[in-house]
C-alpha cells in the first residue's frame, strides 16, 4: 500500500498497522478472518461474478484513486464493491414488476431500457464506490463532497452535490451497508507479513514493493491470466461450458491470487528461494504447491509480456 499499511476490516471497525509492525497473534487473527471471508465469497458466487472487473473499470478506479491521492487499497476495494453492487442492482431492476396498467414490454426491450438507464449513471456509480472505499481506510484521504464535485466536473461530468450524495447512498443501500468485502491487495500484504514472521530471512520489504506492481499488472490483464490458467488446468484450448462455470471459483479466489503474486515476485527477485517460499505459502494457506506453481507460471507469462495495448 502507498503508506505500507496492512489493514483488517470488520463490520464494526477498521484496524490498521504499518507494514511489518503487527504482532504475530494479530496477524494470525487477520489471516483467519481473511480465509473465512474468502471461503464465504467463493461459496456465494453468482453467475455474473467477475463481469465488472473489466480491465477498463479496474484502470478507471485506480486512476481515480491516484488522482485524488488515495491509498491504492481504495481502488482495489472499489472494484469489489462495484462488482457486488452492480449484480444486485441490475438483478433488482430486472426483477421489479412493471407498473400496474403499463403496456407489457418485450423482455428484450425491458432489458435494453434498464441498461440504457444505467449507462448515464455508471461513471458516477464507479466514483461512488471509490468514495465509499476511501472512507474505510484510516490512512487514506476521505473524498469530501466538494472534492467529489470538483473532480467529477474536471472529467466532464456536470453533477450537483445532491446527485453525488444520492449516488453514494444508492450504492450503500444497494450493498445493504455491507462494505467489508475481500480484496486481493489486503490478502497479499497480510500473507507477506506472515511469511516474514515464519521465514525471517525472506526480504519481504523488497517483495512487497514488487508484489504491488505485479498485482496491478495481472489485475489489468485479468482475462488473459485466467484464460491461460484455464487452458493449463483443463489441458484444452476449448474448455466446455461446464468447465468454465466451475472455474469461476478460481477467478474469484483472493487467497490464490495473493500467493501467486508473491510466488512470481520471489521467482523474479530470489529464484533460489522460490521453492522454499512456495512451500511456506502452501503451509500458510493450504493451497497446494502445484496450484501455486500453475498460477505463477501463467502470471509470469503476463509479466514478461508486459502491459498490452488494447485493440480498437
Amino acid at each position: 500500500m502507498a503508506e505500507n499499511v496492512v489493514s483488517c476490516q470488520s463490520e464494526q471497525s477498521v484496524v490498521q498497522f504499518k507494514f511489518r509492525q503487527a504482532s504475530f497473534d494479530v496477524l494470525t487473527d487477520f489471516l483467519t478472518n481473511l480465509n473465512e471471508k474468502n471461503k464465504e465469497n467463493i461459496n456465494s458466487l453468482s453467475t455474473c461474478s467477475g463481469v465488472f472487473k473489466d480491465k477498463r473499470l479496474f484502470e478507471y478506479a485506480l486512476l481515480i484513486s491516484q488522482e485524488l491521492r488515495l491509498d491504492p487499497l481504495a481502488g482495489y476495494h472499489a472494484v469489489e464493491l462495484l462488482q457486488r453492487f452492480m449484480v444486485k442492482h441490475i438483478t433488482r431492476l430486472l426483477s421489479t414488476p412493471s407498473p400496474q396498467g403499463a403496456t407489457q414490454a418485450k423482455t428484450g426491450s425491458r432489458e435494453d431500457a434498464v441498461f440504457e438507464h444505467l449507462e448515464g449513471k455508471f461513471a458516477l456509480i464507479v466514483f461512488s464506490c471509490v468514495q465509499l472505499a476511501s472512507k474505510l481506510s484510516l490512512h487514506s484521504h476521505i473524498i469530501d463532497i466538494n472534492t467529489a464535485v470538483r473532480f467529477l466536473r474536471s472529467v466532464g461530468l456536470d453533477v450537483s452535490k445532491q446527485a453525488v450524495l444520492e449516488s453514494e447512498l444508492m450504492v450503500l443501500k444497494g450493498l445493504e451497508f455491507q462494505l467489508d468485502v475481500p480484496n486481493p491487495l489486503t490478502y497479499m500484504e497480510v500473507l507477506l507479513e506472515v511469511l516474514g514472521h515464519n521465514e525471517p530471512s525472506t526480504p519481504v520489504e523488497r517483495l512487497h514493493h514488487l508484489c504491488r506492481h505485479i498485482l496491478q499488472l495481472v489485475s489489468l490483464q485479468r482475462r488473459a491470466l485466467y484464460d491461460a490458467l484455464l487452458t493449463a488446468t483443463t489441458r484444452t484450448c476449448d474448455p466446455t461450458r461446464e468447465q468454465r462455470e466451475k472455474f469461476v471459483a478460481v477467478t474469484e479466489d483472493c487467497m490464490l491470487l495473493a500467493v501467486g503474486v508473491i510466488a512470481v515476485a520471489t521467482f523474479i527477485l530470489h529464484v533460489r528461494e522460490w521453492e522454499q517460499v512456495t512451500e511456506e505459502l502452501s503451509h500458510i494457506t493450504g493451497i497446494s504447491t502445484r496450484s501455486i506453481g500453475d498460477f505463477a507460471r501463467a502470471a509470469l507469462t503476463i509479466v514478461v509480456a508486459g502491459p498490452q495495448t488494447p485493440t480498437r
Side-chain angles (χ1 to χ4, degrees):
M1 298 167 69
E3 298 184 23
N4 291 354
V5 174
V6 169
S7 65
C8 182
Q9 298 171 344
S10 66
E11 295 180 4
Q12 293 80 21
S13 62
V14 178
V15 181
Q16 298 183 318
F17 296 90
K18 289 185 177 181
F19 191 66
R20 299 307 312 272
Q21 290 188 5
S23 69
F24 186 72
D25 288 341
V26 170
L27 286 174
T28 301
D29 290 340
F30 279 12
L31 190 61
T32 301
N33 178 269
L34 290 176
N35 189 45
E36 290 175 355
K37 289 186 178 300
N38 191 52
K39 289 180 179 178
E40 289 173 5
N41 181 54
I42 292 174
N43 291 332
S44 61
L45 294 176
S46 75
T47 54
C48 299
S49 293
V51 172
F52 293 95
K53 294 182 181 179
D54 174 82
K55 175 181 178 179
R56 291 169 298 175
L57 292 178
F58 179 76
E59 190 171 28
Y60 186 32
L62 283 188
L63 288 173
I64 294 174
S65 300
Q66 291 174 10
E67 184 67 24
L68 295 176
R69 299 181 180 179
L70 304 177
D71 192 300
L73 179 62
Y76 286 94
H77 204 146
V79 172
E80 300 297 334
L81 294 178
L82 178 67
Q83 168 68 35
R84 284 159 177 72
F85 170 75
M86 288 304 298
V87 170
K88 289 184 177 183
H89 190 55
I90 291 174
T91 301
R92 186 160 49 248
L93 289 175
L94 291 176
S95 60
T96 301
S98 302
Q100 190 172 5
T103 303
Q104 184 66 35
K106 294 181 179 179
T107 302
S109 300
R110 178 174 174 77
E111 290 180 354
D112 290 342
V114 167
F115 288 109
E116 185 176 343
H117 170 73
L118 285 172
E119 185 177 2
K121 296 183 175 182
F122 190 64
L124 184 54
I125 290 173
V126 176
F127 181 83
S128 295
C129 290
V130 177
Q131 190 174 16
L132 286 170
S134 76
K135 295 178 179 180
L136 296 174
S137 174
L138 297 178
H139 292 267
S140 186
H141 300 292
I142 294 176
I143 307 174
D144 60 52
I145 189 65
N146 292 321
T147 301
V149 171
R150 189 163 54 248
F151 171 81
L152 290 168
R153 288 178 177 173
S154 74
V155 296
L157 294 177
D158 187 15
V159 296
S160 64
K161 291 182 180 181
Q162 185 65 26
V164 174
L165 290 171
E166 289 176 355
S167 176
E168 185 180 16
L169 184 59
M170 177 182 70
V171 173
L172 194 56
K173 288 183 176 179
L175 291 169
E176 299 174 340
F177 300 89
Q178 300 295 315
L179 304 182
D180 181 23
V181 297
N183 76 80
L185 182 56
T186 298
Y187 280 76
M188 184 201 77
E189 293 192 326
V190 171
L191 282 175
L192 274 176
E193 285 270 21
V194 176
L195 180 63
H197 277 277
N198 291 3
E199 296 289 342
S201 62
T202 304
V204 292
E205 286 86 357
R206 290 188 64 196
L207 286 175
H208 177 257
H209 179 73
L210 182 57
C211 281
R212 285 174 51 205
H213 291 290
I214 294 173
L215 178 60
Q216 180 172 315
L217 179 57
V218 298
S219 296
L220 287 169
Q221 300 295 332
R222 172 186 170 86
R223 182 170 181 176
L225 169 65
Y226 287 112
D227 280 350
L229 191 56
L230 175 59
T231 299
T233 302
T234 59
R235 298 188 179 184
T236 174
C237 294
D238 187 24
T240 64
R241 180 176 179 178
E242 182 181 3
Q243 288 174 322
R244 290 185 179 278
E245 289 176 351
K246 289 182 178 180
F247 192 73
V248 171
V250 176
T251 69
E252 296 300 308
D253 190 337
C254 285
M255 195 71 80
L256 175 62
L257 176 56
V259 296
V261 166
I262 296 171
V264 171
T266 304
F267 185 86
I268 294 172
L269 285 180
H270 307 283
V271 66
R272 292 181 179 178
E273 299 177 14
W274 186 82
E275 186 174 342
Q276 178 184 346
V277 169
T278 301
E279 288 177 353
E280 183 58 35
L281 288 172
S282 177
H283 174 73
I284 293 169
T285 64
I287 299 173
S288 70
T289 54
R290 179 178 177 178
S291 294
I292 296 174
D294 288 344
F295 190 99
R297 280 187 285 274
L300 271 170
T301 303
I302 300 296
V303 171
V304 171
Q308 302 294 306
T309 303
T311 56
R312 295 184 181 276

